[in-house]
Amino acid sequence: MSDITNVIRKELKELLTPGSVISVLIMVVLFAGLGGLIGGEVEKAQALPVFGIANGEYGDITLEDGSEWSAADYLTRLYSGVPEDEIGDYIKIIDIEGVTDFYELMTSNGINSLVIIDRSFSENVLYNLYTASSVTDLKPVVIQEYYLYEPSGMFGSISSSTVSAVVSGMSSDLSGFLIKSCIAPEKVYQFLANPITHGGDDLHTIVNGEPHPGVTPQDIASQISSQTMMIPMIIMIIIMMVGSIVISSMGSEKENKTLETLLTLPIKRTSIVSGKIIAAAIVGLVYGLAYMAGMSIYMNAMMGPTSSGIDLEALGLGLDMMDWALIALSMFLAIICALGICMILGAFAKNYKSAQTMTMPLSILAMVPMFVIMFSGWYGSGTVIQAVTFAIPFSHPMMAMQSLMYGDYMLVFSGIAYMAIFALVMILITVKLYNSDILITGLGQNKTVQKLTGRK
Amino acid sequence: MTDALVLEDVRKSYGNREAVHGISLTVHEGEIFGLIGHNGAGKTTTLRMISTLLEITSGSISVYGHDVAKEPEAVREIISYLPEDAGAYKDMTGRAYLEFIARFFASGKEKDEMVAKGIALADLGERIDSKVDTYSKGMMRRLLIARAIMPSPKLAIMDEVTSGLDVINAYEIREIIRDIAKSGVTVVMSSHNMFEVDMLCDRVGLIDQGNLVLLGTPAELKEQFGVDTLEEVFVKAVKGA
């Protein structure tokens, strides 16, 4: 077994303890569970609304030509997918005669939305059609809505908005019925209702020079965002995790004085540095993949209701094997850069406790690009922010997926080249530190530091 | 007699402060050499320079003919350094720790033999398979001595090797050091225990404020100061009484 393998094996044994593995598994289960919970809430919110309708008989209209419309018919058409004997589970006919306590009425009927058709609903429709002498003489045709507010989380308002949409739909349906019956034949009604045809296949968005019908830029942006949104967060978690692992390992080695022993063994300093970096990178990738799996379940549940369902592949915005390989390379190099920074920071840690505080600069470096990329994105940022984002190596895997989707290979390749140089410089500095006194004596005994602080 | 360790005008500065002021000495093969001095005198700094842990500001150190500054890797092949209050990896068992160290020196059957030697030297019985963080200070020290001796180094460097140990453990560790010296290993050790140094060391060097102020066998030093113990030598040399 080579020296470097020996160091990697030892580091992996130290890092992959049952406790640490269990804590990561718990995080994954929590993410997945949270995703399932949200998914369930979304499904619940998106399901056909259950609501009460009061005084249904006041919604029946019969015009002079004999044609009929009723609110009940409209609702039956709306719930046409539901077996007839189950419609009662969704629409509950409620008697509100003499009711003053609507809270009691709704809770006792197990509903949180109540639609009340006014007593004068059909009477006023007929008056407005046949009797009213002018616009000022029109009588209001009212449907009242009652909703029960329950603090049920982020999707709690969806069911009330769906019921509200049902009422708006009812208004449009009645409007269509009245126009058809009183003013114009079917063809004129259809024309009056939609005189201008737009959208659908008459709408085109040009992507990479190719026009694509039926897709808006907003649809594409929302789909890309839904697929890439979790990447910066996952990269940030991985960076912070591997950073903490390496710095803590260094602090622990110093505290237990095992580092002094390790440095006097017949092993090259580069092997010690590489062994520690490779082991932490392996652990980081394992943990990262675990987080990614948990986060995917969580994000899929989150993005479900808003995803536009656009096929990015068909738009030429998909990723091929080469693209995925570039993303993996970018992620790997970012981890190596993070580990390089941490090996340098860890060299100055006096013990395990002081090592914990040293992860702060790394956390900030990982959070800055995450926020920039999640909120304004690389392409929406100004030159200064772009320069800062580019200079932070962890930015590159965060934006690689989106850049590759947009075909911006120049940004991805330049990021990879920059990270490779950055990682190399970090490793060289680390090896230099491992060959110097600083690792043993700390910064306090350094000539430059003494000059700066005035201490001897 | 072969020179195991040669220090020539060795100096060490930390920034503007010089901690070691031109120490020169020679340690012969198979000798147990004791470095004594009060806290902060420069003993540990000197031992760390010999062990390739610290850079030498000026002068030179050679271990069995290998220059520490120019050939640190060759030096690490033939030395073992045991720092004061050193520990082992807490999540490992004693056996796993010895195996981890042995893999840097050998492989296959040779490695297995080295580990077996280490286990015998540590003499921890069944506790060799217990986690290191359950060990007492004495057990830990035995494990670390075994680790240092197991690869058969030519030069063993031990800093405050029995510090904080009870009488029995300290006695047993001294016996181990005596045995390894008999087998030809050169030992350079530091200690505050003058009784221990008197009993163990063939020659002694006293460091005071970074200078080597005395060098000789315990008997020579006692005779030089006209006293009965090395402790009295130490006090007279340092305080000038």
Side-chain angles (χ1 to χ4, degrees), chain A residues 365 368-369 372 378 382-393 395 418:
Chain A
L365 278 181
V368 168
V372 168
W378 168 263
T383 314
V384 176
I385 292 182
Q386 278 189 344
V388 173
T389 310
F390 191 94
I392 300 173
S395 312
Y418 172 72

Side-chain angles (χ1 to χ4, degrees), chain A residues 1-4 6-7 9-11 13-15 17 253 255-269 276 435-437 440-441 445-448 450-451 455-456, chain B residues 12-17 48 51-56 73 76-77 79-92 96-97 99-107 144 147:
Chain A
M1 187 185 286
S2 73
D3 294 344
I4 191 165
N6 197 15
V7 175
R9 215 171 98 158
K10 171 240 158 195
E11 291 288 324
K13 270 188 181 172
E14 274 183 3
L15 300 174
T17 58
E253 291 255 23
E255 189 169 297
N256 298 325
K257 289 213 174 177
T258 46
L259 188 63
E260 285 187 37
T261 303
L262 198 59
L263 294 175
T264 55
L265 292 173
I267 168 174
K268 285 193 172 81
R269 300 285 158 94
K276 280 183 174 292
N435 280 313
S436 76
D437 291 357
I440 304 297
T441 59
Q445 305 286 13
N446 184 272
K447 201 171 181 175
T448 317
Q450 282 183 354
K451 265 185 193 170
R455 280 189 306 164
K456 281 195 175 180
Chain B
K12 177 66 189 174
S13 299
Y14 293 120
N16 297 320
R17 184 174 65 83
R48 281 175 168 176
S51 312
T52 75
L53 279 173
L54 293 180
E55 290 171 271
I56 304 159
E73 280 163 22
R76 284 182 211 128
E77 295 276 354
I79 64 161
S80 255
Y81 174 56
L82 182 57
E84 184 185 1
D85 293 332
Y89 299 106
K90 289 177 178 172
D91 288 329
M92 288 186 185
Y97 179 66
E99 280 175 350
F100 168 65
I101 298 293
R103 278 194 285 267
F104 290 117
F105 293 91
S107 59
L144 294 172
R147 184 278 292 166

Side-chain angles (χ1 to χ4, degrees), chain A residues 61-128:
Chain A
I61 296 164
T62 306
L63 301 183
E64 287 176 353
D65 65 358
S67 54
E68 291 177 343
W69 182 91
S70 84
D73 283 349
Y74 166 73
L75 291 173
T76 309
R77 272 184 278 129
L78 197 68
Y79 281 73
S80 59
V82 178
E84 211 169 306
D85 56 338
E86 287 176 23
I87 285 187
D89 296 340
Y90 293 95
I91 305 167
K92 300 185 176 181
I93 309 295
I94 291 165
D95 183 12
I96 61 160
E97 202 63 52
V99 171
T100 51
D101 187 348
F102 284 92
Y103 174 72
E104 166 61 26
L105 177 78
M106 291 170 80
T107 49
S108 62
N109 280 284
I111 51 168
N112 55 13
S113 309
L114 176 64
V115 174
I116 302 171
I117 297 178
D118 199 76
R119 268 173 190 282
S120 52
F121 184 92
S122 51
E123 189 184 307
N124 286 0
V125 167
L126 297 174
Y127 176 84
N128 292 343

